[in-house]
Amino acid sequence: MAGPSSLLLTDDERSRKFLRGALSCQGFSVAEASSGDEGIQQFSPELFQLVVVDLQLPDMKGLEVLRHIKRLSPGTAVVMISDSGEAATILQAMRLGACDYFLKPVKEAGLINGVICRIAEEENLAQQNREYREALEHRNIELRDHVELLRRDQEAGRLLQQHLLPRTPYSYPGGIEAAYRLIPSLYLSGDFVDYGLFGERFVAFYLVDVSGHGVSSALVTALIKHSIMHRLSERPLFTQLELLGNDLLEILELINRELLSTHMGKHASMFVGVVDTAARQLHYAVAGQIPMPALASNGGADWLPGKGRPLGIFERGDWQVMCAELPSNWRLVVCSDGVLELLQGDLLEKEARLLQLIAGSEGELSSLCQSLKVDTFGALPDDITILTLGHD
């Protein structure tokens, strides 16, 4: 493998002879020129790693040669040869990109070797930096590709999750309308809602809020949807009045077991209910729901009573099935806890303000979303879901 090449430009025979020997000892092949024009003709950035230029050449100043070389190849190391009285010119050469200089008479081999070694070290460092930048750029390209792939995967996941959600709004026999607004803080949401008509009189529904954000939480919502649909395929639920309480508890126990068995460290809050359109009653159960659902009617709103532990933490949740009588005109509003992040104050103040907004909007979804400014809030700190059911 050929060693490094150098170009020596000087008409000083003594300096040329000494430098030729010193460069050769350092492993350089040496090309020579006695004038600036001859040196410029010989110079090629791909050929020479080091150029030694006399400031005083017979046809031009060494600074002109330096300028020409730096225009062609800014990274090429250039060392100047100078008389001791040319301090100002040496300083100008250093400003133009020369990396060092030798003073005539050139006769100290140790000094020359030291300069050449330093230049070699700097070149090695520069080469390492170039390799590092190239590797970093390659990594950046790979990272951008991975981010784009992740974005496409998340977008596909978002579309799939939207496909699993029910239509909104949706009207059922008996004048019941269900609607929701679900806004994920990321591509995918840990919130999920569903509703459906069972038999001719029962509208069942739920809102679940899985802990965390993003893909893992969204996968859990898909698991919950699948588990409920699988149970419904095994046997009918929400078709007999006397069994509604048992059916609600069965849903909570089912999801609790599923979350515990996954060992993903995920838990969830859930509100599940059934509207009996014939008897105008709401049967429901609460599992760690914050804020509590609110029932709006006659220009006012109140929190529904009830309690129960979140899902996926305890073997038993001590859930209670509650029943509320429904007036002729009513709206039920169920919110995930992300809604509270849109309000100011401590928890009690936020809940009081939310209840006030629900009453002011009479539980109507679009009006409530406008009051909460969900579309203009900016970056959302949490998934936000509002589910409403009502009869006007």
Side-chain angles (χ1 to χ4, degrees), residues 8-23 30 32 52 54 81-83 102-107 112:
L8 178 57
L9 283 74
T10 180
D11 65 341
D12 183 338
E13 186 60 36
R14 182 179 177 185
S15 296
R16 178 188 298 182
K17 180 178 180 181
F18 192 88
L19 285 167
R20 184 195 309 125
L23 290 169
V30 183
E32 300 178 29
V52 182
D54 199 329
I81 307 173
S82 170
D83 292 325
F102 300 134
L103 290 178
K104 296 179 182 178
V106 183
K107 59 181 180 180
I112 295 172

Side-chain angles (χ1 to χ4, degrees), residues 37 116 137 205 207 225 235 253 282 335 341 369 386:
D37 184 65
I116 294 173
E137 179 61 26
F205 61 91
L207 184 151
K225 165 90 173 183
R235 73 175 188 86
E253 291 166 355
L282 169 65
C335 301
E341 299 295 330
C369 289
I386 303 173

Side-chain angles (χ1 to χ4, degrees), residues 50-233:
L50 173 64
V51 180
V52 182
V53 182
D54 199 329
L55 278 171
Q56 299 298 330
L57 293 169
D59 56 340
M60 65 177 67
K61 296 290 185 181
L63 291 179
E64 295 180 41
V65 179
L66 173 62
R67 288 190 183 95
H68 180 85
I69 291 173
K70 286 298 179 179
R71 279 197 302 268
L72 292 177
S73 178
T76 298
V78 181
V79 177
M80 310 306 295
I81 307 173
S82 170
D83 292 325
S84 58
E86 296 178 310
T89 308
I90 292 173
L91 181 59
Q92 185 178 2
M94 301 298 284
R95 289 172 176 168
L96 291 173
C99 58
D100 217 319
Y101 62 92
F102 300 134
L103 290 178
K104 296 179 182 178
V106 183
K107 59 181 180 180
E108 297 184 25
L111 178 61
I112 295 172
N113 294 342
V115 169
I116 294 173
C117 288
R118 184 177 61 77
I119 292 173
E121 290 174 358
E122 290 177 352
E123 175 58 29
N124 288 336
L125 180 59
Q127 179 62 30
Q128 291 175 10
N129 287 337
R130 286 192 293 271
E131 293 173 355
Y132 174 76
R133 286 194 299 271
E134 291 173 0
L136 183 60
E137 179 61 26
H138 179 69
R139 293 294 185 187
N140 285 338
I141 292 173
E142 288 183 339
L143 179 60
R144 287 194 294 269
D145 291 343
H146 285 311
V147 169
E148 176 60 21
L149 178 61
L150 179 60
R151 188 198 64 78
R152 291 198 299 267
D153 286 346
Q154 289 183 326
E155 179 64 19
R158 184 181 68 84
L159 294 175
L160 177 60
Q161 189 176 50
Q162 288 180 342
H163 180 73
L164 294 175
L165 288 164
R167 284 185 290 171
T168 180
Y170 194 81
S171 297
Y172 293 102
I176 303 296
E177 182 181 86
Y180 66 90
R181 187 72 182 278
L182 191 155
I183 307 175
S185 59
L186 302 173
Y187 273 94
L188 300 168
S189 174
D191 293 354
F192 197 80
V193 300
D194 206 358
Y195 37 74
L197 178 66
F198 295 81
E200 297 181 354
R201 60 185 282 188
F202 301 112
V203 177
F205 61 91
Y206 67 84
L207 184 151
V208 63
D209 181 357
V210 178
S211 61
H213 309 280
V215 175
S216 61
S217 297
L219 288 175
V220 174
T221 67
L223 171 65
I224 291 172
K225 165 90 173 183
H226 170 77
S227 300
I228 293 175
M229 297 304 294
H230 181 69
R231 178 55 54 91
L232 290 172
S233 69

Side-chain angles (χ1 to χ4, degrees), residues 301 303 339-340 342-361 368 370-373:
W303 300 121
V339 171
L340 296 176
L342 304 177
L343 303 171
Q344 300 295 320
D346 59 27
L347 179 59
L348 293 178
E349 292 170 335
K350 290 180 177 182
E351 289 182 332
R353 177 56 179 161
L354 178 59
L355 189 63
Q356 183 182 29
L357 294 176
I358 291 172
S361 65
L368 179 58
Q370 185 176 1
S371 298
L372 288 166
K373 299 181 174 60

